[in-house]
Amino acid sequence: MDTRERLIESTRELLWERGYVGTSPRAIQQRAGVGQGSMYHHFTGKPDLALAALRRSAEDMRAKAEGELSGPGTAYERIEAYLLRERAVLRGCPVGRLTQDPDVIADDVLRQPLEETFDWLRQRLSRVLAEGRERGELAAELDPVATAATIVATLQGGYVLARAAASAEPFEHAIRGVLGLLATAVKGRRG
Amino acid sequence: MDTRERLIESTRELLWERGYVGTSPRAIQQRAGVGQGSMYHHFTGKPDLALAALRRSAEDMRAKAEGELSGPGTAYERIEAYLLRERAVLRGCPVGRLTQDPDVIADDVLRQPLEETFDWLRQRLSRVLAEGRERGELAAELDPVATAATIVATLQGGYVLARAAASAEPFEHAIRGVLGLLATAVKGRRG
DNA sequence: CATAACATACATACTAGTAGGTACAGCAGA
DNA sequence: TCTGCTGTACCTACTAGTATGTATGTTATG
């Protein structure tokens, strides 16, 4: 792996472990095994490095979600597959994590990839739900846009609860709960 | 307001604005208009101050939730009142915010109030849901424990999305979505 | 009542170490 | 030899805290 690549991967790890304000250029250099000069050669500074790392994390997240959501099965099954894979990993969301960092949110260049990623995910889920409704799998009353936002929020909030509890239990309950609620909107299961 | 009180309130503000690692003792002193010696007289250090601030925020959050959840009305109405008040404030959760801070999560003394607060909230919502089910307001299939976790997660996740978008829109969608899903489990509304 | 003894409250100066960089010199390959 | 890359030195500001001082009470004792 070349120097630039090592810097990006080390930054990804540190942003995940320590957040943006908690990650120093020095720490990145040490983890990557790269001198200060090299780092400032490849990147203009800490925000530039963070942007590269963040874009890669967002890309990863998007590709994985697309894998499950574009797969076969009913709308419910695809969303279930997506949520259960996230539950299986239970590592937390490297993108969502950064939303709590004031320096990231204050910088529009850094915030934009965050916003785009969540917008994409909500729209993608919304399309899956709308398709399911058109096919008659889901109740007509179900609001695809609002429900998609709820699913993404449940996932992100589940990670918040898991960190507070230092345990996976609240996260698993939250996923089970949203799938249970969604199941009540599945036609054929009702009544 | 005396010195100790000003220190706690300034710490609360800064923890909310900048997080734990982003909040320095110096910044706290300056905002409180208090000298360094005074700060270290009243508190042993940064973690001690953060603990006092965090406990107060948790207490606030709990008291407000209890106000809505112990009020009159059906289970659905009380939960709706709670969620809509949070939506009206749309300030974010000062407790949930700290879960993304590694130094807070790593310190059991600081993490404990976070865990207790969310555990309490999940249990409180769970009891409201169980009562609603017993009274025949809600479908028998509804899982109170899982659904309570979903509601708390939706709220916390909604704040995550709102920060990423620098807008209240995703948060409002998420709240509307979870209330819509919950409404499908309200008896009399089905079919 | 006067005053010594002591605790409380607040302030200033100082510390080692880190944050986030700039400036520049050397070196290896095309 | 020029360009890309890397290493070393240096810089200013800040972090979290200690050490040491002083001003103001608050009892205890004669």
Side-chain angles (χ1 to χ4, degrees), chain A residues 63-84:
Chain A
K64 281 179 189 153
E66 183 62 29
E68 285 120 5
L69 296 179
S70 67
T74 65
Y76 179 87
E77 287 165 352
R78 284 183 280 162
I79 289 171
E80 186 181 34
Y82 169 61
L83 291 178
L84 294 185

Side-chain angles (χ1 to χ4, degrees), chain A residues 150 181, chain B residues 64-65 68-69 75-90 121 125 129 147-156 158-159 171-183:
Chain A
T150 300
L181 287 173
Chain B
K64 281 179 190 152
E68 285 119 3
L69 296 178
Y76 179 86
E77 286 165 353
R78 284 183 280 162
I79 288 171
E80 185 181 33
Y82 169 60
L83 291 179
L84 293 186
R85 191 260 304 158
E86 289 277 350
R87 190 179 75 174
V89 177
L90 191 62
L121 187 54
L125 282 165
L129 290 166
T147 307
T150 299
I151 292 169
V152 178
T154 300
L155 203 50
Q156 295 297 319
Y159 287 131
F171 181 82
E172 295 183 348
H173 280 162
I175 297 298
R176 188 149 50 79
V178 76
L179 283 172
L181 288 173
L182 195 58

Side-chain angles (χ1 to χ4, degrees), chain B:
Chain B
M1 201 157 48
D2 66 355
T3 302
R4 187 187 167 82
E5 199 60 21
R6 284 209 311 280
L7 283 166
I8 292 177
E9 288 304 315
S10 299
T11 305
R12 286 227 284 169
E13 291 171 20
L14 284 164
L15 284 181
W16 167 247
E17 292 169 18
R18 312 255 333 137
Y20 185 83
V21 289
T23 296
S24 68
R26 173 187 284 235
I28 295 170
Q29 294 151 25
Q30 287 178 349
R31 181 162 305 201
V34 159
Q36 204 159 13
S38 308
M39 198 198 86
Y40 283 101
H41 170 76
H42 290 285
F43 298 93
T44 65
K46 182 176 164 176
D48 191 29
L49 250 167
L51 183 61
L54 175 50
R55 281 196 177 132
R56 183 163 299 182
S57 290
E59 184 62 28
D60 272 14
M61 177 179 167
R62 194 167 148 158
K64 281 179 190 152
E66 183 62 28
E68 285 119 3
L69 296 178
S70 68
T74 64
Y76 179 86
E77 286 165 353
R78 284 183 280 162
I79 288 171
E80 185 181 33
Y82 169 60
L83 291 179
L84 293 186
R85 191 260 304 158
E86 289 277 350
R87 190 179 75 174
V89 177
L90 191 62
R91 191 193 144 206
C93 177
V95 180
R97 185 188 187 326
L98 295 177
T99 60
Q100 301 302 311
D101 227 304
D103 292 7
V104 173
I105 297 303
D107 183 343
D108 273 349
V109 176
L110 284 174
R111 191 180 54 74
Q112 200 180 346
L114 298 181
E115 180 169 10
E116 283 173 5
T117 302
F118 287 124
D119 279 355
W120 175 86
L121 187 54
R122 284 194 293 141
Q123 283 171 26
R124 190 70 191 81
L125 282 165
S126 183
R127 250 186 298 140
V128 170
L129 290 166
E131 278 171 31
R133 210 176 52 169
E134 282 163 22
R135 292 186 196 153
E137 294 164 20
L138 296 171
E141 301 85 17
L142 185 131
D143 179 342
V145 171
T147 307
T150 299
I151 292 169
V152 178
T154 300
L155 203 50
Q156 295 297 319
Y159 287 131
V160 169
L161 299 187
R163 284 184 83 102
S167 137
E169 194 219 345
F171 181 82
E172 295 183 348
H173 280 162
I175 297 298
R176 188 149 50 79
V178 76
L179 283 172
L181 288 173
L182 195 58
T184 64
V186 173
K187 286 197 175 177
R189 289 218 194 189
R190 321 171 71 199

